[in-house]
Amino acid sequence: MRILVPLPFDPSDTAHGRNLRVVNLLTHMSPRAEIRCLVESAEVAGRLGRMLPGARVEPAEAVLSPCDRRVPRVSRIGAYFGSSAGLTAAAAACAGRADAVLGFDLPSINAVLAAGSAASRPRLILDVIDDPWLTWLSGRRAERLGPSGLKTALCVRLARRFLLPRLDALVAVSPRDAASLSRACGKRVRVVPNGVALQPPDCLTQPREPMVIFTGAMDFGPNERAACRLARQLWPEIRRTAAERDGGGAGSLELVIAGSNPTAAVRALAELPGVRVTGWVADLGLWLRRACVAVAPMDSGTGMKNKVLEALAAACPVVATSAGAAGLPVGEAHGLVVEDAPDRLARAAGLLAADPVRARRLGRAGWRTVRDRYAWADCAGLMIETVGELVRRCRTAPAAAAGLRTGEQEALPHAAS
């Protein structure tokens, strides 16, 4: 099976959750399919090629002949999310040699739709990842109702109404995102969750330090806000609760904020008692294996939070808001405690930090949940099944397929249906 993947962004920076998903899915798909990636430049091709040795990675300009350079008609709605004329033309030129075209995120939509003009009519799939409408709704009111936010809302609604139905299949990262997309465009949507690299089993018995941890790229707005909220509002109550629980022995409890590119607001948190800001760390897993509890007090977003999966994969129990735990099974049986009220969240984290026996039990439960449900190889297998089923249907019923317009192929079942 030959899959063409146009990428109008640089996936090599895996600090971005979308890019981490792209690289890991394509890595585990490449042994089972012939993956050809088209990217914007030779520099991006070089970096991504080293990360994806099992795939063919080419810059768009390298595959275009002079007669291929005419850019197919594209949607102005899709162009709002980011598109390259060269990449779009390259996708259209190469689509005739592909069984399917797989795009990631809305910036890819024009290139994917342009590939549908090929005579062979490859199947068109878009991994939307997070529903952009839910993402917009979860943002801060001031951002949503500003000029840029309102323009984004309009373009997102138009894309969901008029562009997504033209694709043969849609993929989302969680059942909630899939259900929202399905209602908007009238298609069933397949769920392919994010995965994570499972830490070795010795993390189940490794001694834990009196450390509460929050992780993420600290120049990302939601992470910056969550870090500041955690350190300035929740941390005093977490320390107080932990000290009361173990009779004052939690005085050494430390809050570690670990992640790249901390802003000035995040760096200033290191001046607070018991707070350490590390900046970029070479091995985040090492810090998560040391911590007794991870906290994800996110106030926005949808999809799945990689920071939560990474903590669970290191047998570190997590206390999170509903936004932080989105898309994941919750409860002590899965190592993930959810509290939205600030005082309840702080108390839950403090009690867990002061109870190593319970924390270890929850950490083991989270590790098993990741092992059983969120291996990248399994997630990539679901994506291969999605693409493969479309291709097989096309091959076995060519007459029926020829009579349908783009977007009218029978949709794949929703994983939660």
Side-chain angles (χ1 to χ4, degrees):
M1 184 166 60
R2 299 163 299 177
I3 304 175
L4 179 68
V5 184
L7 295 168
F9 47 83
D10 181 0
S12 63
D13 179 11
T14 53
H16 190 302
R18 174 196 63 194
N19 299 343
L20 185 70
R21 176 177 174 86
V22 171
V23 169
N24 278 285
L25 285 179
L26 294 181
T27 295
H28 289 90
M29 289 168 66
S30 56
R32 301 175 58 180
E34 182 182 321
I35 305 293
R36 185 182 188 185
C37 299
L38 300 178
V39 295
E40 297 277 13
S41 68
E43 291 76 17
V44 174
R47 288 192 294 269
L48 188 60
R50 289 188 290 272
M51 300 174 76
L52 299 175
R56 180 179 174 186
V57 183
E58 300 170 286
E61 287 297 314
V63 304
L64 285 173
S65 66
C67 60
D68 291 329
R69 294 180 183 275
R70 185 178 64 83
V71 179
R73 185 178 179 182
V74 295
S75 163
R76 294 177 62 185
I77 302 168
Y80 172 79
F81 300 101
S83 62
S84 157
L87 186 73
T88 301
C94 297
R97 298 182 290 277
D99 298 307
V101 180
L102 171 63
F104 290 91
D105 207 353
L106 279 180
S108 302
I109 194 164
N110 270 348
V112 174
L113 289 174
S117 62
S120 64
R121 183 55 176 89
R123 302 302 89 192
L124 307 181
I125 305 105
L126 184 69
D127 182 358
V128 189
I129 308 177
D130 302 337
D131 176 21
W133 180 245
L134 292 181
T135 300
W136 182 84
L137 285 176
S138 74
R140 304 176 76 180
R141 180 180 175 85
E143 295 171 351
R144 288 190 288 115
L145 300 183
S148 177
L150 291 174
K151 185 175 181 180
T152 296
L154 175 62
C155 291
V156 164
R157 288 181 69 88
L158 290 173
R160 296 201 322 163
R161 176 67 179 84
F162 295 108
L163 298 187
L164 297 185
R166 295 170 57 191
L167 300 159
D168 295 302
L170 297 173
V171 172
V173 78
S174 75
R176 179 170 178 252
D177 291 83
S180 176
L181 288 164
S182 179
R183 287 193 298 269
C185 64
K187 284 179 156 317
R188 290 183 177 179
V189 182
R190 182 71 177 263
V191 173
V192 177
N194 278 340
V196 68
L198 190 68
Q199 296 289 328
D202 60 6
C203 71
L204 300 174
T205 56
Q206 179 176 333
R208 299 281 169 161
E209 301 175 21
M211 177 196 300
V212 175
I213 192 168
F214 174 73
T215 64
M218 294 302 158
D219 56 350
F220 180 50
N223 284 341
E224 180 190 44
R225 293 197 301 272
C228 292
R229 177 179 176 231
L230 172 59
R232 297 191 181 279
Q233 300 177 28
L234 305 178
W235 178 235
E237 180 61 25
I238 292 173
R239 295 182 85 190
R240 187 161 45 249
T241 299
E244 292 172 355
R245 172 66 173 78
D246 73 352
S252 61
L253 191 64
E254 181 181 36
L255 172 62
V256 171
I257 298 172
S260 60
N261 304 321
T263 63
V266 174
R267 292 195 301 271
L269 301 177
E271 300 173 4
L272 300 175
V275 178
R276 188 195 321 188
V277 178
T278 68
W280 179 84
V281 296
D283 185 356
L284 184 60
L286 176 62
W287 287 86
L288 291 169
R289 292 194 298 271
R290 292 168 55 190
C292 63
V293 59
V295 183
M298 313 305 294
D299 63 1
S300 64
T302 181
M304 296 173 69
K305 300 296 182 288
N306 291 321
K307 59 171 57 60
V308 175
L309 277 176
E310 289 167 345
L312 296 176
C316 181
V318 180
V319 178
T321 57
S322 297
L328 292 166
V330 302
E332 295 202 3
H334 301 289
L336 179 52
V337 177
V338 175
E339 296 287 357
D340 284 312
D343 57 336
R344 292 176 64 88
L345 188 147
R347 181 167 178 78
L351 290 174
L352 198 53
D355 189 345
V357 173
R358 178 169 169 251
R360 187 174 297 280
R361 174 168 55 80
L362 266 65
R364 288 173 173 169
W367 187 89
R368 289 192 295 269
T369 294
V370 168
R371 179 198 61 190
D372 296 341
R373 301 190 184 195
Y374 299 108
W376 276 119
D378 294 337
C379 300
L382 289 175
M383 187 67 82
I384 285 285
E385 289 174 12
T386 299
V387 178
E389 185 172 349
L390 276 174
V391 172
R392 286 192 298 273
R393 288 182 182 182
C394 177
R395 288 173 177 169
T396 55
L404 295 174
R405 296 190 302 274
T406 303
E408 293 183 334
Q409 295 297 111
E410 183 181 354
L412 291 172
H414 187 307
S417 62

